[in-house]
Amino acid sequence: MFLALRELRFAKVRFGLMGAVVGLIAVLMVMLSGLSVGLVRDGVSGLQNLPVTSFAFERGVQHDSAFSRSVVDMSAVDAWRSRPGVAEAAPYGNTLVNTKSDRGVDIDLALFGVAPDSFLSPEVSEGARLSGADGIVVSDTALDAGLRIGDTVTVARLGTKLRVVGATPRQNTFGHVDVAYVPLRTWQLIKAGAAPGDPVPAHATQEITAVAVRAKSGASVDLAAGDAAARTESLTLEESYGASPGYTAETSTLQLIQVFLYAISALVVGAFFAVWAIQRKHEVAVLRAMGASRGWLLRDALTQAFLLLIASVAIGAGIGVGLGSLITGGGMPFALSAPSVTAAAAGLVLLGLVGAGAAVARIASIDPATALGGNR
């Protein structure tokens, strides 16, 4: 008898209001999803773009601040290169600096110290690749911030001058700061605090932040054995994201908000269909008296909930994508991702069905005698 479809047409206002609430939740979920993806990219895209599988840090270093606290001896690079399954290992440095360009642009940079001839040396979309001692390759987002190819930036307090020779083809940021790839030797001097002309401490040229390791294709590297041989402590590339400033706190907060929104969606949909199930009790009893099975009634009710949810979430997600496209590219770290938007929409529909299913399950207990006045 298609009771679900008839009710959707008959009670347009009720279902429309309910759909509007679900649609608004979907808009919010899409916006939170875009903000989450944007924050991740702004926080660790510089690490994500590195062709590494793991980092070997100083043994015993605090994991949530490994990039700022770790100091590893250069000898560890050779130890990692000789490990089974390792395709390449290279020295890697990381430090944050304040700089000012010769055109008056103040900009903070996350300096990634790499050997120009190593696999860490970045590809460029503009200018030249890393080569000279004073050359740097910056993120393309640094160009949006005001830097230009050929500019000279001066490191605050040290006076070290670095020349912008190239830019990467995509965003490279670390801790919401634009990345600048710099030759390892120059990075070591800046990290040691040696100004131009100052004597260089002997240990400075032997210290790096970590050993960047790339495994052979299809091979598995025994990180524990490698750490024992090199006296280091390894984190996989994904695990190292937590060492980016603010990454764990930001992602955890947004994930918690999303969990609450999913729960709210399930409760709102469940409450609506619980009330609706009570109001349609007599109609359902008539169907039971006419021979409709409990399973048919449950499928009918869930079909109704599914149609409402799928339409509301689709409209809400569409509005969210439209709003997000207006924000993308602005000052806010926001980025739309098809997989994340799809996952958010599917999660809302699924949990909404769970809430609706819990609410309409009471239909199965309705006594057919109710339709015949047996409850009087």
Side-chain angles (χ1 to χ4, degrees):
M1 296 178 64
F2 305 106
L3 180 63
L5 298 180
R6 293 175 183 273
E7 286 180 337
L8 286 172
R9 289 196 298 267
F10 175 75
K12 293 179 181 178
V13 175
R14 294 183 185 181
F15 284 103
L17 290 174
M18 183 60 208
V21 173
V22 175
L24 289 174
I25 294 176
V27 172
L28 188 54
M29 285 300 299
V30 170
M31 300 302 287
L32 280 175
S33 172
L35 183 59
S36 179
V37 172
L39 283 172
V40 169
R41 289 184 182 177
D42 209 48
V44 297
S45 61
L47 299 178
Q48 290 174 328
N49 295 332
L50 289 175
V52 307
T53 52
S54 64
F55 286 103
F57 295 98
E58 178 185 359
R59 177 173 291 182
V61 72
Q62 191 170 327
H63 288 186
D64 61 357
S65 55
F67 287 110
S68 60
R69 295 177 181 271
S70 173
V71 178
V72 177
D73 191 86
M74 284 283 288
S75 60
V77 177
D78 292 329
W80 272 102
R81 281 175 180 158
S82 62
R83 299 302 305 170
V86 173
E88 295 179 89
Y92 168 80
N94 184 313
T95 192
L96 301 176
V97 296
N98 306 118
T99 69
K100 186 172 184 176
S101 76
D102 52 358
R103 293 189 301 107
V105 177
D106 291 305
I107 185 169
D108 298 333
L109 294 174
L111 296 184
F112 281 11
V114 301
D117 59 348
S118 73
F119 72 99
L120 296 178
S121 183
E123 299 287 341
V124 297
S125 58
E126 297 182 51
R129 297 193 64 171
L130 205 60
S131 57
D134 66 340
I136 59 173
V137 173
V138 300
S139 168
D140 67 342
T141 51
L143 301 184
D144 297 335
L147 287 186
R148 296 291 182 270
I149 304 296
D151 283 359
T152 298
V153 297
T154 303
V155 179
R157 294 187 298 276
L158 295 180
T160 303
K161 296 185 180 299
L162 304 170
R163 185 168 52 88
V164 180
V165 298
T168 60
R170 55 187 180 275
Q171 178 181 2
N172 278 268
T173 46
F174 175 81
H176 309 295
V177 177
D178 292 311
V179 168
Y181 291 85
V182 61
L184 183 66
R185 170 75 177 188
T186 304
W187 175 87
Q188 288 171 326
L189 298 179
I190 294 173
K191 179 67 173 178
D198 287 353
V200 180
H203 64 83
T205 57
Q206 295 300 312
E207 293 180 346
I208 55 177
T209 299
V211 180
V213 177
R214 181 167 68 178
K216 293 179 181 178
S217 179
S220 177
V221 179
D222 189 340
L223 297 181
D227 285 332
R231 299 184 62 80
T232 56
E233 185 167 335
S234 291
L235 297 176
T236 64
L237 179 62
E238 290 74 17
E239 289 172 341
S240 72
Y241 297 164
S244 174
Y247 174 82
T248 301
E250 291 169 351
T251 54
S252 298
T253 300
L254 286 174
Q255 287 172 356
L256 185 60
I257 294 173
Q258 288 177 319
V259 168
F260 276 115
L261 275 177
Y262 283 129
I264 289 171
S265 176
L267 288 173
V268 168
V269 174
F272 173 81
F273 279 100
V275 173
W276 188 246
I278 294 172
Q279 292 180 341
R280 66 203 290 254
K281 180 177 179 181
H282 293 291
E283 289 84 352
V284 171
V286 170
L287 291 176
R288 288 282 289 124
M290 294 172 63
S293 67
R294 290 188 177 91
W296 186 92
L297 291 172
L298 288 173
R299 287 194 299 272
D300 185 70
L302 289 177
T303 298
Q304 187 179 74
F306 177 76
L307 292 174
L308 174 67
L309 287 167
I310 201 71
S312 304
V313 170
I315 294 173
I319 294 173
V321 170
L323 293 175
S325 63
L326 299 177
I327 300 174
T328 302
M332 182 184 298
F334 187 93
L336 289 172
S337 168
S340 62
V341 171
T342 302
L348 283 177
V349 172
L350 180 62
L351 289 179
L353 283 175
V354 171
V360 302
R362 64 188 302 156
I363 289 177
S365 63
I366 292 178
D367 185 358
T370 301
L372 303 177
N375 61 329
R376 296 179 181 177

